[in-house]
Amino acid sequence: MENGLRKPSETTGQVISCKAAITWGPGEPFVIEEVKVDPPQKMEVRIKILFTSICHTDLSAWQGENEAQRAYPRILGHEASGIVESVGEGVMDIKKGDHVVPIFNGECGDCPYCKCEKTNMCERAGVNPFMTVMVNDGKSRFSCKEGKPIFHFLNTSTFCEYTVVESACVVKIDPDASLKTMTLLSCGVSTGVGAAWNIANVKAGSTVAIFGLGAVGLAVAEGARARGATKIIGVDINPNKFIKGRAMGITDTINPRDFEKPVHECIREMTGGGVDYSFECAGISEVLREAFLSTHEGWGLTVILGIHTSPKMLPLHPMELFTGRVIIATVFGGFKGKTQLPNFAKECMQGVVNLEEFITHELPFEKINEAFQLLIDGKSVRCLLHL
């Protein structure tokens, strides 16, 4: 043992017994149990998780909002950082002891998508909420003490002291970087900042509206601020989020409950016709429509980041697109994980994005149910769990 961690040489090629937070059914409290984690197979990596945080996607999956994606028992979690314990056959770019972040939207580097500069999708390791097992053999690397398999989640399953992921879903980061803050690059911050930088390409002097001031929305604000946007409007029904928002780039705030008229009308009045860019981070179709209508005719761009579990279709009429407004969606902020995320991590180390501001709470892993309640109550941006 070194610094509380097992030496990789002690566990390489062996089944590891460790603690995990298992969800056994929709909305049921997480149960901390001992599980068995198999060694990594070909092109897989086993990681010792040191920090993990809770994203709204974890909350939605835990609550079982999308019935088709339900699978139990399951180990959720997809925002984390850790140290590589061992690698499987064929893994060349990652080795034991590397500091890494797992990512839910991988990059194999070989498929047509990975070779295309226009997308960050991946044929082999792209995000797939229906995937519950590993690609190699269609089996899980997790099991209960009794031997019953436990399902994987979003290529990562980070609510466990050790996890096994595809090598395409592992990003090596600078060993001098804080693993604590690098955790946030697994999902929320990369998604929001990337939407502002890679998808919208926010310009200096532009105007922005952000609908939903959770971690992703605040990350959009950070990205827009870094790019020099002069007016960044934050829209949320929870006024408590405005304080944190103003500390992270929001210049103006709107609580829809304070106005009788639609939000888009308020924004058009504030900006002389509408914003240059709007970002929908709520996953609600009615909010998406307001975000779309809040942009300026002729050039307004709306970026969808919210996860829409409702079966409702896009709340727009095709003729509304003839006004010159554009709408687009993004996964992981357009970042190609393995090739582009390391550079983004370096920018964060240099202070371009203040990662510390996103961490509002820290708890031991055993208090994961308390951490979820903080998110439900709208009290946390990111609660970091220490494993």
Side-chain angles (χ1 to χ4, degrees):
M1 301 282 285
E2 289 182 353
N3 299 321
L5 301 177
R6 298 185 178 102
K7 292 182 180 180
S9 59
E10 296 175 352
T11 53
T12 299
Q14 301 179 23
V15 174
I16 292 177
S17 294
C18 65
K19 293 180 180 179
I22 302 175
T23 176
W24 290 88
E28 294 184 13
F30 287 90
V31 180
I32 303 294
E33 298 186 26
E34 183 176 299
V35 300
K36 295 180 179 179
V37 183
D38 292 339
Q41 295 191 13
K42 185 177 181 179
M43 299 306 293
E44 295 175 359
V45 177
R46 187 160 62 182
I47 305 169
K48 166 56 183 170
I49 300 296
L50 298 181
F51 302 97
T52 188
S53 52
I54 300 170
C55 171
H56 201 279
T57 301
D58 297 311
L59 176 60
S60 298
W62 171 62
Q63 293 174 330
E65 291 183 0
N66 189 319
E67 293 186 12
Q69 296 175 8
R70 292 180 180 179
Y72 307 100
R74 201 170 197 179
I75 297 175
L76 302 180
H78 66 286
E79 228 181 48
S81 64
I83 298 175
V84 173
E85 176 272 337
S86 61
V87 300
E89 177 189 347
V91 178
M92 305 299 291
D93 61 328
I94 301 291
K95 65 181 185 304
K96 295 179 184 179
D98 281 347
H99 290 200
V100 296
V101 293
I103 54 174
F104 65 89
N105 190 55
E107 182 186 0
C108 73
D110 297 320
C111 72
Y113 296 99
C114 286
K115 293 179 179 179
C116 178
E117 296 180 355
K118 297 180 180 179
T119 182
N120 68 337
M121 293 178 64
C122 176
E123 190 171 37
R124 176 184 173 88
V127 58
N128 181 357
F130 297 97
M131 193 72 176
T132 58
V133 292
M134 299 300 288
V135 173
N136 275 333
D137 57 4
K139 297 180 179 179
S140 174
R141 301 291 175 263
F142 304 111
S143 60
C144 301
K145 288 189 296 184
E146 299 78 15
K148 181 179 181 179
I150 305 172
F151 292 118
H152 290 252
F153 177 68
L154 289 185
N155 292 330
T156 48
S157 292
T158 63
F159 292 165
C160 189
E161 292 180 321
Y162 286 85
T163 189
V164 177
V165 303
E166 295 282 333
S167 62
C169 296
V170 182
V171 177
K172 181 179 177 180
I173 59 173
D174 190 323
D176 292 330
S178 163
L179 283 174
K180 175 179 168 181
T181 54
M182 289 296 110
T183 297
L184 305 179
L185 301 192
S186 282
C187 179
V189 171
S190 298
T191 298
V193 174
W197 291 3
N198 304 326
I199 307 303
N201 192 18
V202 171
K203 303 295 184 182
S206 60
T207 54
V208 172
I210 303 167
F211 290 73
L213 297 182
V216 172
L218 292 175
V220 172
E222 276 277 321
R225 176 197 56 76
R227 283 292 178 90
T230 53
K231 183 180 285 291
I232 305 174
I233 304 169
V235 182
D236 205 293
I237 58 174
N238 182 353
N240 294 326
K241 294 184 177 181
F242 295 156
I243 298 174
K244 173 65 75 172
R246 289 189 178 276
M248 301 178 73
I250 299 293
T251 61
D252 301 83
T253 58
I254 294 177
N255 183 341
R257 292 174 175 171
D258 293 340
F259 298 88
E260 294 183 358
K261 56 186 175 183
V263 171
H264 74 267
E265 292 185 11
C266 300
I267 292 177
R268 286 185 188 180
E269 291 176 3
M270 293 170 63
T271 58
V275 291
D276 301 307
Y277 314 96
S278 72
F279 298 84
E280 186 277 312
C281 308
I284 302 171
S285 59
E286 293 80 7
V287 175
L288 173 57
R289 179 163 181 79
E290 286 298 306
F292 176 76
L293 293 176
S294 73
T295 62
H296 204 292
E297 290 187 357
W299 63 79
L301 172 66
T302 298
V303 182
I304 305 174
L305 295 97
I307 302 300
H308 291 250
T309 56
S310 165
K312 293 181 180 179
M313 302 298 284
L314 201 64
L316 306 172
H317 190 282
M319 295 305 295
E320 290 181 297
L321 296 171
F322 282 81
T323 62
R325 296 187 178 99
V326 175
I327 188 168
I328 191 172
T330 180
V331 171
F332 202 47
F335 279 114
K336 285 181 178 288
K338 291 181 78 74
T339 54
Q340 296 179 340
L341 207 62
N343 184 63
F344 178 46
K346 289 182 179 178
E347 290 184 283
C348 291
M349 291 173 67
Q350 295 165 359
V352 176
V353 175
N354 186 354
L355 297 179
E356 289 282 357
E357 283 284 351
F358 290 88
I359 302 173
T360 54
H361 298 77
E362 297 185 50
L363 291 171
F365 183 48
E366 291 74 17
K367 294 188 176 181
I368 187 171
N369 288 299
E370 292 182 30
F372 267 80
Q373 193 60 49
L374 287 170
L375 184 60
I376 293 170
D377 294 340
K379 295 180 179 179
S380 68
V381 176
R382 276 295 185 265
C383 180
L384 202 70
L385 297 174
H386 295 241
L387 281 78

